[in-house]
Amino acid sequence: MTITPLMPVYPRSPVRPVRGEGAYLIGEQGERYLDFASGIAVNLLGHSHPHLTKAIQDQAAKLVHVSNMYGSPQGEHLAQRICDNSFADTVFFTNSGAEAVECAIKTARRYHFANGAPERKKLITFASAFHGRTMATISAAGSEKMTSGFEPVLPGFETVEFNNLDAAAAAVDAQTAGFLVEPIQGEGGIRPSSPEFLQGLRKLADEHGLMLVLDEVQCGYGRTGTFFAHEQYGIEPDILASAKGIAGGFPLGACLATEKAAAGMVVGTHGSTYGGGPLAMAAGEAVLDVILEDGFFDHVKAMGDRLRQALEQMIPNHDHLFESVQGMGLMLGIKMKVDSKPLVPFLRERGLLTVAAANNVLRVLPPLNIEESHITEFIELLSSAAREFEAPEQ
């Protein structure tokens, strides 16, 4: 038998973390890595944050799991806090971002079913998107890379060009249920929606009675300097999928919706065995305790501006590799002139963790509580590596 005990679906790197301290991961041999990947935007408070750790420890000693057949004071409290700080009137808790997007898709279709238009099933989605790894979410993304070998994909999605409002408008027909879009594409290369595009989708949704569904799994929860990224566009969605940073690394996702949008989500229409369990709720509460403190989002914006400025100052020194910086807050991407993937392991060998994205982009996703000293160290490591890096011939 040659297959590994862990199903070999990941190209796992030699980095083998066993401990974390703030913005650093520590490997089996004691080696330290500056973690500007954060578990791909998950560890928004860094590693081993004392408030988050204590909350999980305390709750684990009291109650880990109960079925959703019973009342959930923990879930009710966290959902109310999220609603109080967002557009939403109701929340369904999941275990992951993909499940949150699945719930969002079902909520959008069920809205039309409940309003006498069951034929409205189609969601208009956008090229280069990433919505998760389930059958519905890879079908929604419409990427051959994601669906190859898993066909048939699920019907009910039409993919058009990202940031192209005319293409989105042209795809609307009598079967359309709504739009599913990331305000900032993550896997697709840290590509922000233009204000005209996202505001235009809101207007189209209002004009045609459609649901605007935002996937803020990666860009939400403070990553861009506001609770959710759409706040910076001056619009509100009908439905939103959240996850990643929502519990700082503990598995948790959430589907948020207005009362109107959730009209069809009645008893028996959806469920989850583990979603909304007491342990996940404690982790979610601890994260909210920290990120809703006065000044936290201002700190994210300030560190984001500082990091962008430092990168823009560095790029001319390595203009054979780097082209520009894109993104918002602490969700930044460095557009490269060569394939970004070979640089990622090169940086790992020098103690710096980042993530590649599509379109030759190097993703920079540090914890949201970093300080200027971390940015200085990051720039020094990146600049030093860039001096030594030789891009493979393409």
Side-chain angles (χ1 to χ4, degrees), residues 205-263:
D206 292 339
E207 289 174 351
H208 295 275
L210 308 178
M211 294 284 102
L212 178 60
V213 184
L214 298 185
D215 179 345
E216 293 219 22
V217 168
Q218 187 165 154
C219 66
Y221 249 73
R223 175 63 49 189
T224 65
T226 48
F227 191 21
F228 290 109
H230 68 261
E231 296 167 30
Q232 298 182 53
Y233 288 85
I235 58 114
E236 291 186 344
D238 301 294
I239 305 165
L240 180 146
S242 179
K244 287 195 178 287
I246 189 171
F250 196 91
L252 177 62
C255 174
L256 288 60
T258 64
E259 183 173 13
K260 174 185 173 184

Side-chain angles (χ1 to χ4, degrees), residues 15-99:
V15 176
R16 297 167 64 85
V18 293
R19 191 160 54 86
E21 294 175 0
Y24 298 90
L25 280 175
I26 294 92
E28 286 177 310
Q29 307 304 318
E31 69 275 23
R32 291 174 70 86
Y33 302 90
L34 179 63
D35 187 5
F36 267 41
S38 302
I40 314 183
V42 168
N43 304 104
L44 82 173
L45 301 180
H47 302 283
S48 305
H49 190 279
H51 185 64
L52 176 60
T53 301
K54 186 175 187 307
I56 293 172
Q57 289 173 331
D58 289 350
Q59 184 60 49
K62 289 189 288 189
L63 184 65
V64 171
H65 171 78
V66 293
S67 169
N68 278 310
M69 290 190 300
Y70 307 114
S72 174
Q74 305 91 351
E76 290 165 4
H77 191 265
L78 180 57
Q80 188 63 60
R81 289 184 78 187
I82 293 172
C83 290
D84 288 345
N85 288 279
S86 74
F87 73 97
D89 300 312
T90 189
V91 179
F92 182 88
F93 289 114
T94 66
N95 307 292
S96 68
E99 290 172 83

Side-chain angles (χ1 to χ4, degrees), residues 36 38 41 44 190 218 222-225 299-308 327-333 364-370 375:
F36 267 41
S38 302
L44 82 173
I190 311 293
Q218 187 165 154
R223 175 63 49 189
T224 65
H299 176 81
V300 174
K301 288 179 181 174
M303 290 299 101
D305 290 345
R306 178 72 188 93
L307 179 55
R308 177 187 287 269
M328 294 165 58
L330 286 172
M331 184 177 180
L332 296 178
V364 183
L365 302 164
L368 304 186
N369 54 357
I370 56 166
I375 294 174

Side-chain angles (χ1 to χ4, degrees), residues 47-372:
H47 302 283
S48 305
H49 190 279
H51 185 64
L52 176 60
T53 301
K54 186 175 187 307
I56 293 172
Q57 289 173 331
D58 289 350
Q59 184 60 49
K62 289 189 288 189
L63 184 65
V64 171
H65 171 78
V66 293
S67 169
N68 278 310
M69 290 190 300
Y70 307 114
S72 174
Q74 305 91 351
E76 290 165 4
H77 191 265
L78 180 57
Q80 188 63 60
R81 289 184 78 187
I82 293 172
C83 290
D84 288 345
N85 288 279
S86 74
F87 73 97
D89 300 312
T90 189
V91 179
F92 182 88
F93 289 114
T94 66
N95 307 292
S96 68
E99 290 172 83
V101 175
E102 289 265 359
C103 179
I105 293 168
K106 292 175 75 172
T107 302
R109 289 179 176 167
R110 189 77 185 179
Y111 164 79
H112 292 292
F113 179 88
N115 283 279
E119 74 281 4
R120 286 191 155 193
K121 296 181 172 70
K122 184 179 80 173
L123 284 160
I124 297 169
T125 61
F126 298 91
S128 299
F130 180 86
H131 298 298
R133 298 275 189 173
T134 63
M135 283 306 300
T137 53
I138 64 175
S139 301
S143 163
E144 185 179 350
K145 175 186 170 186
M146 301 288 295
T147 59
S148 178
F150 297 117
E151 298 88 350
V153 297
L154 302 182
F157 302 100
E158 180 175 350
T159 303
V160 301
E161 185 182 12
F162 181 64
N163 262 339
N164 186 332
L165 189 60
D166 290 339
V172 174
D173 58 27
Q175 282 73 50
T176 302
F179 303 102
L180 170 60
V181 62
E182 297 164 279
I184 305 173
Q185 290 193 334
E187 185 80 14
I190 311 293
R191 300 168 67 204
S193 299
S194 70
E196 296 76 17
F197 175 66
L198 209 55
Q199 292 162 5
L201 291 183
R202 177 69 272 174
K203 186 177 179 185
L204 281 172
D206 292 339
E207 289 174 351
H208 295 275
L210 308 178
M211 294 284 102
L212 178 60
V213 184
L214 298 185
D215 179 345
E216 293 219 22
V217 168
Q218 187 165 154
C219 66
Y221 249 73
R223 175 63 49 189
T224 65
T226 48
F227 191 21
F228 290 109
H230 68 261
E231 296 167 30
Q232 298 182 53
Y233 288 85
I235 58 114
E236 291 186 344
D238 301 294
I239 305 165
L240 180 146
S242 179
K244 287 195 178 287
I246 189 171
F250 196 91
L252 177 62
C255 174
L256 288 60
T258 64
E259 183 173 13
K260 174 185 173 184
M265 300 303 281
V266 297
V267 171
T269 55
H270 197 48
S272 171
T273 296
Y274 295 109
L279 199 51
M281 298 299 94
E285 292 272 9
V287 166
L288 275 190
D289 291 343
V290 176
I291 72 171
L292 293 181
E293 286 180 350
D294 287 344
F296 186 89
F297 295 144
D298 291 338
H299 176 81
V300 174
K301 288 179 181 174
M303 290 299 101
D305 290 345
R306 178 72 188 93
L307 179 55
R308 177 187 287 269
Q309 184 183 49
L311 286 168
E312 289 175 343
Q313 288 175 347
M314 182 206 70
I315 283 175
N317 298 327
H318 309 286
D319 58 4
H320 63 296
L321 286 180
F322 304 129
E323 185 175 310
S324 60
V325 185
Q326 53 203 43
M328 294 165 58
L330 286 172
M331 184 177 180
L332 296 178
I334 306 172
K335 176 72 172 173
M336 296 185 63
K337 294 178 178 176
V338 298
D339 186 358
S340 61
K341 295 183 184 66
L343 182 58
V344 173
F346 194 79
L347 293 172
R348 284 182 193 140
E349 293 170 2
R350 286 151 183 78
L352 178 59
L353 303 182
T354 56
V355 192
N359 298 311
N360 296 334
V361 167
L362 186 72
R363 270 186 283 187
V364 183
L365 302 164
L368 304 186
N369 54 357
I370 56 166
E371 302 294 340
E372 290 216 20

